Amino acid sequence: QVRIVESGGGLVQAGASLRLSCAASGGTFSTYTMGWFRQAPGKEREFVAGVSRSGSSTSYSDDIKGRFTISRDNAKSAVYLQMTVLKPEDTAVYYCAARAGASIYYSGSAYAYWGKGTQVTVSS
């Protein structure tokens, strides 16, 4: 059983940066593909970014491409989401998720393990 805990959310102004962290425990971290998802009020959960098991491959949604960067540190069992040029529409609860397997999937149903999320609020 993999336990996931996110941190780093907060309230920032538009244009600011934030770095989210995701700590995983209870499994062999390097065997999991990791993803970040977000859910805004009244909206469905959506894929933000994903990183392969080795960290060599990443994938991003079009909404955040060029502004967000996902990375991982397998030695620390951690995944990060560096967010820059934040916009009010980035306001959401951000979730970290893990899936056993090599591929990055955009669908949340492909991920078996989830954290409880961290709130990101961007004011205009």
Side-chain angles (χ1 to χ4, degrees):
Q1 185 75 13
V2 178
R3 181 170 178 263
I4 293 175
V5 179
E6 304 95 336
S7 62
L11 171 63
V12 297
Q13 291 189 331
S17 299
L18 270 180
R19 188 194 195 206
L20 303 184
S21 297
C22 167
S25 61
T28 304
F29 183 72
S30 60
T31 64
Y32 292 92
T33 295
M34 302 298 295
W36 283 100
F37 292 76
R38 68 185 182 185
Q39 187 167 20
K43 295 187 177 181
E44 294 187 354
R45 181 179 60 194
E46 63 177 359
F47 174 84
V48 175
V51 61
S52 64
R53 295 178 296 187
S54 67
S56 61
S57 178
T58 57
S59 184
Y60 297 94
S61 70
D62 289 341
D63 288 348
I64 58 85
K65 196 173 294 183
R67 297 190 296 122
F68 293 8
T69 303
I70 188 171
S71 62
R72 68 188 293 163
D73 185 338
N74 285 346
K76 295 182 178 180
S77 297
V79 180
Y80 307 99
L81 186 68
Q82 179 67 49
M83 307 186 293
T84 64
V85 194
L86 283 161
K87 304 176 181 180
E89 50 264 43
D90 294 319
T91 295
V93 177
Y94 283 72
Y95 298 92
C96 180
R99 66 175 303 274
S103 300
I104 298 170
Y105 280 79
Y106 282 49
S107 172
S109 62
Y111 294 76
Y113 305 103
W114 293 80
K116 294 183 178 180
T118 185
Q119 176 71 48
V120 172
T121 303
V122 184
S123 64
S124 58

